[in-house]
Amino acid sequence: MQRHIATTPFGRGTLTLGQIASQMTARTVPAEAVVHKWQVFQHIREARDRLGATDRSLAILNALLSFHPETALTGAAELVVWPSNEQLMARANGMPATTLRRHLAVLVGCGLIVRRDSPNGKRFARKGRGGEIEQAYGFDLSPIIARAEEIKALAEEVQAEKKALRVARERLTLLRRDIVKMIDAGIEENVPGNWGRVQQAYQEIILQLPRGASRPLVDDVCARLYDLWVETREVLETFTKTQNMDANESHSGGHIQNSNPDSQFESNTAFEKDEAGSAAAQTDNVQSLPKRELPLGIVLDACPGVIDLAQGGQIRHWRDLLGAVEIARPMLGISPSAWREAREAMGEQQAAITLAAIYERSEQIHNAGGYLRSLTERARQGKFSTWPMIMALLRAKLDASQAEAAGKGSLHPSRREPSGFEVSETLLRGLGKRNRRPHEK
């Protein structure tokens, strides 16, 4: 009697063209074909995204393969397995029945197995007198043999892609490390250049790199970072060559590099000298200054410019201010060593306030690094407080606001148009007291 192999699923399941294609593929398996089932399964695991399989469906496929008694799958052997749902659920680590049926459908849809349903939907095998299997109803594993080479090629492509992504990420890490350290070296060694612009360009490139970025995006970011790396390195190399030539021409032996790049620029503009003198006059007796810390809100009122550097454009906590001034530091040309010494002498919070104030008046300060070192030295001597700096900024903003209102012809404070800057009466009295000279008391 001729055996009939069903091509349609049992029950309400419909037949699709994809299932027809899988059945056609299963019939192309040559009788002499032999594959190692666990090796093919490993290739399927590696290429599961390309095949459309899921982790749960692979757990079921692993269970189905375990029901075949032989390790080698051959085209001449019977490749239909007929475990019950209970047996499959047990070998799939107790997977629920509904989940089992859903992921069996995934395996069929991926073309990794073919359903061979019986007339009543049961899975079983009918054996002949000699014990050989005459008819089996269940799941046919023939597509695994037929597609073994295709699956292997997909797995190799996935491995090559992963390797390329790993190499690209390694290159990205090296470029980021080189650029950051070259910027710090340029500032530390006082190499002429707009290091603030380089730092800003670097930040703009890195912000375009999300977590879990794809390889094309990583390659694009690496290409842009490489251009910045070349530009930065050329600046450092050109400066190094110039220094070496100057040393050779002067016949003075080895070039002596100053480890303190800001020391030769301690002279600042008239503004810095005037402010330093004013700060000295107001901080001769530091004990007279308020004992409490400056509120964050007052610091931000005095230094609104640093808010633009914060992540998300908001500063809600002191740690947000610390993050913002870390970005401002290279833009001001302050070396890592000067910033480190300031934090050690003043503390993290006070150093951040000081740097925010310097950033607010960056256009009036000729050498921010030297100015910060000067304030750091005063802090070591106990003669520096951030209160006078912040109060001076607030007073300057208040004077500018009043001058603007006066220019508009307002004769009474209650009739002035809002200027966007408000100061409490208590703070106004405090500002007045701190702005008086000693002879005015």
Side-chain angles (χ1 to χ4, degrees), residues 32-83:
E32 66 277 7
V34 180
V35 298
H36 192 293
K37 65 180 182 181
W38 299 121
Q39 186 176 15
V40 178
F41 179 72
Q42 178 62 28
H43 294 158
I44 293 173
R45 287 178 57 189
E46 294 173 354
R48 64 179 180 272
D49 292 335
R50 299 285 187 91
L51 295 170
T54 62
D55 294 340
R56 291 289 187 90
S57 63
L58 291 185
I60 298 172
L61 181 59
N62 180 75
L64 288 173
L65 290 173
S66 69
F67 282 103
H68 193 278
E70 302 296 334
T71 301
L73 301 179
T74 62
E78 179 61 54
L79 296 176
V80 177
V81 292
W82 55 92

Side-chain angles (χ1 to χ4, degrees), residues 243-255:
Q243 295 296 97
N244 291 337
M245 291 175 60
D246 292 344
N248 292 334
E249 291 175 0
S250 62
H251 302 286
S252 60
H255 175 64

Side-chain angles (χ1 to χ4, degrees), residues 72-374:
L73 301 179
T74 62
E78 179 61 54
L79 296 176
V80 177
V81 292
W82 55 92
S84 64
N85 282 353
E86 289 74 14
Q87 291 174 317
L88 274 176
M89 287 188 293
R91 293 202 184 183
N93 302 319
M95 185 179 295
T98 54
T99 306
L100 176 70
R101 288 192 292 270
R102 185 168 65 252
H103 288 285
L104 278 171
V106 172
L107 289 176
V108 174
C110 292
L112 295 175
I113 60 174
V114 174
R115 299 185 73 102
R116 302 297 186 191
D117 289 346
S118 65
N120 61 0
K122 301 294 183 180
R123 302 178 197 133
F124 63 91
R126 183 180 296 112
K127 296 183 180 180
R129 293 182 179 180
E132 71 279 2
I133 297 175
E134 291 183 349
Q135 180 72 49
Y137 296 102
F139 300 102
D140 191 350
L141 304 177
S142 298
I144 293 179
I145 302 179
R147 301 181 63 186
E149 291 300 324
E150 173 197 350
I151 294 171
K152 181 180 179 181
L154 288 175
E156 290 176 349
E157 289 179 7
V158 170
Q159 290 178 351
E161 180 67 21
K162 287 183 178 179
K163 181 180 179 181
L165 179 59
R166 185 171 61 253
V167 172
R169 286 177 175 172
E170 290 174 356
R171 185 187 180 208
L172 174 67
T173 301
L174 292 175
L175 285 170
R176 293 183 64 175
R177 185 183 70 191
D178 284 356
I179 292 173
V180 169
K181 291 193 175 184
M182 284 194 296
I183 292 174
D184 287 343
I187 297 173
E188 188 77 22
E189 301 294 337
N190 200 41
V191 178
N194 192 346
W195 297 110
R197 184 194 63 79
V198 177
Q199 175 73 14
Q200 185 176 3
Y202 170 76
Q203 292 292 341
E204 290 176 354
I205 296 173
I206 294 302
L207 287 176
Q208 298 179 4
L209 187 68
R211 182 171 300 186
S214 61
R215 188 174 66 86
L217 181 56
V218 174
D219 288 339
D220 180 64
V221 171
C222 283
R224 298 181 61 187
L225 284 177
Y226 179 75
D227 293 339
L228 185 61
W229 178 86
V230 170
E231 178 185 351
T232 308
R233 187 172 179 85
E234 284 180 353
V235 172
L236 295 179
E237 289 181 347
T238 301
F239 180 76
T240 302
K241 291 177 181 178
T242 303
Q243 295 296 97
N244 291 337
M245 291 175 60
D246 292 344
N248 292 334
E249 291 175 0
S250 62
H251 302 286
S252 60
H255 175 64
I256 301 176
Q257 192 122 11
N258 192 349
S259 60
N260 185 356
D262 294 324
S263 61
Q264 56 181 322
F265 295 99
E266 292 296 335
S267 59
N268 302 315
T269 61
F271 162 76
E272 297 172 45
K273 293 179 180 179
D274 292 344
E275 182 173 295
S278 175
Q282 295 183 19
T283 57
D284 284 338
N285 186 6
V286 179
Q287 301 298 325
S288 63
L289 294 172
K291 300 298 182 183
R292 62 186 178 89
E293 298 290 342
L294 271 165
L296 179 59
I298 291 181
V299 174
L300 296 181
D301 285 341
C303 311
V306 76
I307 300 178
D308 297 334
L309 303 179
Q311 186 174 6
Q314 290 184 338
I315 295 181
R316 299 179 178 177
H317 307 283
W318 287 109
R319 62 176 177 271
D320 298 334
L321 179 63
L322 291 172
V325 298
E326 285 288 352
I327 298 176
R329 177 192 63 80
M331 297 174 65
L332 293 170
I334 296 176
S335 65
S337 62
W339 176 231
R340 182 177 60 255
E341 292 171 5
R343 285 180 297 166
E344 292 173 354
M346 304 178 189
E348 295 279 351
Q349 184 171 313
Q350 298 302 313
I353 296 173
T354 303
L355 195 56
I358 294 176
Y359 181 76
E360 188 66 22
R361 285 184 167 176
S362 57
E363 295 182 357
Q364 300 167 283
I365 299 178
H366 175 67
N367 179 30
Y371 186 40
L372 180 61
R373 288 187 185 274
S374 175

